[in-house]
Each structure stands twice: as C-alpha cells, then as structure tokens.
Amino acid sequence: MDIHFRQANQNDAAAIWTILQHAILRRKNDGSTQWQDGYPNPEIINNDILKGAGYVLVQDQTIIGYTAVYFNYEPAYENIQGKWLTNNDFVVVHRIAIGESQIGKGFAKLILKYVEQVALEENIYSIKADTNYDNLPMLRIFESLGYQYCGEVFFRGSPRKAFEKILKP
C-alpha cells in the first residue's frame, strides 16, 4: 500500500471537497456545531490550494485525506484566552478530514505526523491547532499525539480549544 503526503493542486479540489462534505455531515450527525455554518466551503479549499497550504494524503493514487498547513499565520491565535507554550515560528494545521471509507484507520494521526515532518523540514518546532469543544475524535487525537491544551481561541464568534505541540529537532 503506497501512502504519501503532498501539496494539493487544482486537480485535487473536487476530491477534497467531497471528503470535506462527508466530514461536515459526520460532525452534524455527531451532534456537533463545528462546520455547520457554511465553513469550510469550496472557496476556502481553493484559497488553501492557491496559497500552497492545501495538503492531501494519497493512498494508491486516491486522495483519502486533506488538511491545510499555514506557516506563522493565524490571526485568531493572537488573541488566545490562555497562553501558548512558545512564541516562536509555528505551523498551523486546519481542516483535517479523512475520506468516508477510511475513517477509524489512523489516517488523521498520520496526517499530523506528516505535518510534523513538514514543520521540521522548515526548522519549525511548534505546531498549533484548534478544534471544537464537541469534536471528541479530534480531541482524543491531539491528546494521543502529545498536544497540550493552551486555552481558547475564537473563530466566527465561537470558542475553540487551542493546542500546541513542541517538536524535537
């Protein structure tokens, strides 16, 4: 089984949007308010790709996962109610989503491991992320991978739990 992680391109947009639509529905079916307000949407995905921030997890030439990876940029993180572990360069990871047929196989964790590699290749030793209070699968993943809870940040008027992981060089 060939699995790799790469930057997304415009040809990937439809597959990414399909994955995200299923993830949006999963959040709704779980009773979550996360991603139930028209976000994310195809325009967000297009912007990620244009900015070089969209990444896909590919298994045997099929896109099975998506995330956005930004360097040193997330305005909402400037106003944390709490305290980040570091104030150095950081990678932000947003919109982790796994294809419907691949749920529960550890691929979200694998994406985060690949994001760690991307950060280290850029000599960045901090990853920051957030999720909704009721996104229990993502909260468990952050805990299992050593992310530390740092406080709350706000997106579109809603609080999110904010996490940071410090990487070893």
Side-chain angles (χ1 to χ4, degrees):
M1 178 167 50
D2 175 39
I3 296 179
H4 62 279
F5 189 68
R6 64 166 171 79
Q7 278 188 303
N9 60 58
Q10 284 305 133
N11 293 332
D12 302 327
I16 292 165
W17 180 233
T18 297
I19 288 170
L20 278 164
Q21 285 177 300
H22 287 284
I24 290 165
L25 186 59
R26 268 196 312 279
R27 301 297 321 123
K28 181 178 182 177
N29 291 341
D30 287 346
S32 176
T33 59
Q34 186 174 10
W35 291 2
Q36 302 305 306
D37 61 356
Y39 168 96
N41 55 52
E43 183 179 348
I44 296 286
I45 305 318
N46 190 48
N47 286 338
D48 288 346
I49 293 169
L50 290 174
K51 292 175 181 174
Y55 282 80
V56 289
L57 186 66
V58 181
Q59 178 183 39
D60 299 326
Q61 301 184 23
T62 300
I63 294 171
I64 62 168
Y66 178 75
T67 195
V69 178
Y70 283 89
F71 294 89
N72 294 314
Y73 181 75
E74 179 44 76
Y77 287 6
E78 295 172 16
N79 299 312
I80 188 171
Q81 291 184 352
K83 185 171 176 32
W84 293 113
L85 303 175
T86 68
N87 292 314
N88 303 324
D89 288 342
F90 61 94
V91 166
V92 177
V93 61
H94 282 310
R95 296 181 281 289
I96 296 173
I98 303 301
E100 196 66 19
S101 65
Q102 302 300 327
I103 297 299
K105 297 181 181 178
F107 289 124
K109 283 184 183 180
L110 184 59
I111 283 177
L112 285 166
K113 290 292 190 185
Y114 276 119
V115 170
E116 289 181 20
Q117 289 177 8
V118 169
L120 291 171
E121 287 169 6
E122 298 294 327
N123 295 311
I124 295 175
Y125 304 100
S126 166
I127 298 178
K128 295 179 180 179
D130 66 89
T131 195
N132 213 54
Y133 279 82
D134 58 11
N135 189 339
L136 299 180
M138 202 69 228
L139 291 169
R140 282 193 293 271
I141 289 168
F142 286 151
E143 182 181 346
S144 74
L145 292 177
Y147 283 74
Q148 294 182 45
Y149 175 71
C150 295
E152 282 186 351
V153 294
F154 291 82
F155 283 93
R156 297 176 314 284
S158 297
R160 302 277 191 266
K161 284 189 167 192
F163 295 86
E164 184 174 4
K165 181 174 182 178
I166 298 173
L167 305 176
K168 306 253 186 289

